[in-house]
Amino acid sequence: MPGIVIVGAQWGDEGKGKVVDLLAAQADAIVRFQGGNNAGHTIVRDGETWKFHLIPSGILYPGLNCIIGNGVVVDPSVLQTEIDGLRRNGVDVSGLKISANAHIIMPYHIALDHSGEAKLGKLEIGTTKRGIGPCYADKAARLGIRVQDMLDEKILKKKIMAALVPKQLMLRPFERDPEWAPKLDLQQMTEDLLAYGHRLEQHIADTGTIAWNSLQDGKLVVFEGAQAALLDIDHGTYPFVTSSNPTAGAACTGSGIGPRAIDEVWGIAKAYCTRVGAGPFPTELHDDTGTRMRDAGHEYGTTTGRPRRCGWFDAVGLRYAARINTMSALAITKLDVLTGFDSIKVATRYRSTDEIDGATFDTFPYHQTVLHHAIGEYEELPGWSEDITECRSWSDLPQTARDYLDYIADVSGVPVVLAGVGPGREQIVWNNSAAEHTAFSPAAAAD
């Protein structure tokens, strides 16, 4: 069985959790390899909705190793709340493993995130203000607090003190704030983390070895990314990006396995496009069509509740995401949202709105100025009116829906192996040719 990486192929919120949950039926381990609780994965199973922010999407399968890798930044209070909620609902969490090398989001990271966005004003990036970026910054500056530090009081206190010194001036306004001051107290932070360490100790492990052993035994390991390719800190629409690498290469560094362990890379994309927060969005719709997509797709952030910006499918961005991830397969979600549109548009190139330039281009622009002035140029395809939420095979789909999926495969150069036709786990259809492009067994998944 292969190592499969699941990555977002657009600007996030594509439905990666649903696909991971689907693959988890045959997996031995699910590894979340980057991001923090700025991510939100929603799974609908048997009519019940589950929302995860840190815990891997496979947690609903008893006995499955669900790993939070070293590339993830962990808010222990959020993690503990998720664990407690799962236990209350009778979910077995014994398979949850947390890398001892994962970094911890501290109260001062959250304070600095709030402060930084406030100072940017109209130029704000649109972060979730969960402290993710400042935590990764401390990691790079070698001032981070790691999960294993919660198990050693002496080391923990020394590391917190060292991290606080360069931040004292920036944190001064919070020291007199009755909401923040108690959270930023050295002794209080130490005591809180030691308490979390005691509660989470049973889950802390050498997670890289666990994943490697599964791969060595020929078992399926799924590497779960958060956010998406166009939000990658190196390859995305910088600075309007996340603070980690959600691309496939980070599956190795964020989980502790080598690149030869990766056999397949699946990109997850909606049948249209959405984006949360600020930043360029060449196919964005500011009209009733965009509002219709938002309402039909319930496009509000799992983590923040913010309304998502909506637009037509962007083949230029997808081709770029396919290249930087070497995608081997595509899963197209929320195909049902497009039901009822007389015609459907796909941006196959960009055009510059710069009056001097006015150029068109087929590849994703590397220069931010060009991208900020880009809008989509479209090919138009016929839509469908039939309700597809009950479709369970490729042949059940209307011909125009199948033509649309085939068109996406053609313009991206990546085969579409499945499509989502509703929020439920069972509301998917496998392409008849899926077996040609993946070692995962669609037949076993259906069982």
Side-chain angles (χ1 to χ4, degrees):
M1 291 294 285
I4 300 178
V5 180
I6 303 297
V7 295
Q10 297 164 319
W11 278 285
D13 308 306
E14 300 95 346
K16 296 179 290 294
K18 177 178 178 176
V19 176
V20 171
D21 179 63
L22 187 69
L23 299 183
Q26 295 178 41
D28 188 62
I30 307 293
V31 186
R32 168 82 182 275
F33 61 83
Q34 50 77 218
N37 59 302
N38 54 340
H41 290 172
T42 302
I43 295 169
V44 180
R45 183 189 285 191
D46 299 327
E48 188 171 4
T49 300
W50 302 82
K51 295 186 178 183
F52 303 119
H53 300 281
L54 280 169
I55 291 179
S57 301
I59 195 67
L60 300 180
Y61 290 90
L64 181 67
N65 283 319
C66 287
I67 295 170
I68 297 175
N70 57 275
V72 179
V73 290
V74 177
D75 184 326
S77 65
V78 172
L79 178 58
Q80 190 62 62
T81 298
E82 285 197 55
I83 292 172
D84 292 342
L86 287 166
R87 283 176 173 154
R88 282 195 301 272
N89 284 281
V91 177
D92 177 18
V93 295
S94 61
L96 177 65
K97 309 296 180 186
I98 309 162
S99 172
N101 292 339
H103 281 245
I104 294 174
I105 297 171
M106 300 293 290
Y108 47 79
H109 292 141
I110 300 172
L112 292 171
D113 207 354
H114 279 263
S115 176
E117 284 288 88
K119 287 177 182 176
L120 287 172
K122 292 182 179 180
L123 298 176
E124 70 174 12
I125 295 167
T127 78
T128 57
K129 300 177 184 177
R130 302 295 203 269
I132 313 298
C135 183
Y136 276 117
D138 267 5
K139 177 179 179 178
R142 295 173 292 277
L143 291 170
I145 313 298
R146 299 196 294 179
V147 166
Q148 61 181 279
D149 297 330
M150 295 192 295
L151 307 179
D152 189 315
E153 181 176 1
K154 187 175 180 180
I155 289 177
L156 179 62
K157 187 171 286 188
K158 282 184 178 179
K159 286 193 171 185
I160 296 175
M161 289 176 64
L164 282 173
V165 170
K167 300 178 180 65
Q168 286 176 337
L169 183 61
M170 292 184 287
L171 291 170
R172 192 164 293 168
F174 295 94
E175 292 174 354
R176 293 179 291 275
D177 188 320
E179 178 186 354
W180 285 102
K183 301 176 185 176
L184 299 173
D185 177 76
L186 173 62
Q187 188 60 36
Q188 188 63 55
M189 284 189 284
T190 303
E191 291 177 3
D192 288 345
L193 286 186
L194 289 173
Y196 283 122
H198 178 71
R199 296 183 68 184
L200 294 171
E201 186 171 7
Q202 61 184 304
H203 300 291
I204 300 172
D206 176 7
T207 55
T209 298
I210 295 171
W212 175 247
N213 287 341
S214 293
L215 290 164
Q216 287 292 92
D217 290 341
K219 297 176 180 177
L220 174 63
V221 177
V222 179
F223 299 89
E224 177 183 31
Q227 292 87 40
L230 301 183
L231 295 177
D232 187 280
I233 193 167
D234 288 298
H235 306 290
T237 54
Y238 191 90
F240 303 101
V241 293
T242 195
S243 42
S244 59
N245 294 105
T247 38
C252 298
T253 55
S255 57
I257 56 95
R260 291 177 64 187
I262 304 301
D263 298 284
E264 301 179 19
V265 178
W266 288 26
I268 316 302
K270 285 177 183 170
Y272 49 101
C273 276
T274 64
R275 179 166 192 166
V276 172
F281 187 0
T283 65
E284 184 172 10
L285 293 167
H286 300 280
D287 56 12
D288 291 343
T289 301
T291 302
R292 179 179 170 184
M293 285 180 182
R294 182 180 301 113
D295 293 342
H298 307 289
E299 295 295 354
Y300 298 88
T302 303
T303 298
T304 63
R306 290 182 291 181
R308 295 173 183 144
R309 302 154 65 189
C310 296
W312 291 117
F313 195 89
D314 183 348
V316 182
L318 180 59
R319 285 195 293 265
Y320 175 67
R323 175 173 67 81
I324 62 177
N325 286 284
T326 58
M327 288 179 188
S328 56
L330 277 172
I332 303 298
T333 61
K334 291 197 169 185
L335 185 65
D336 55 299
V337 172
L338 297 183
T339 296
F341 284 91
D342 293 332
S343 62
I344 298 168
K345 295 181 180 180
V346 175
T348 55
R349 66 185 63 83
Y350 293 158
R351 176 170 58 84
S352 174
T353 59
D354 189 301
E355 293 181 1
I356 299 174
D357 182 12
T360 61
F361 33 98
D362 300 320
T363 57
F364 201 73
Y366 72 90
H367 200 290
Q368 62 182 6
T369 303
V370 176
L371 187 59
H372 278 272
H373 288 92
I375 59 173
E377 286 203 341
Y378 299 95
E379 295 292 330
E380 198 162 342
L381 289 81
W384 60 90
S385 58
E386 298 92 331
D387 179 5
I388 63 172
T389 57
E390 297 300 321
C391 294
R392 294 297 180 268
S393 69
W394 203 257
S395 59
D396 289 341
L397 293 172
Q399 184 61 52
T400 48
R402 281 179 276 161
D403 290 344
Y404 180 60
L405 295 171
D406 289 341
Y407 186 80
I408 290 173
D410 287 341
V411 295
S412 66
V414 183
V416 174
V417 295
L418 69 86
V421 295
R425 182 185 183 275
E426 75 287 353
Q427 290 180 291
I428 59 104
V429 293
W430 287 95
N431 193 331
N432 298 330
S433 63
E436 300 173 15
H437 307 292
T438 175
F440 181 80
S441 171
D447 295 338

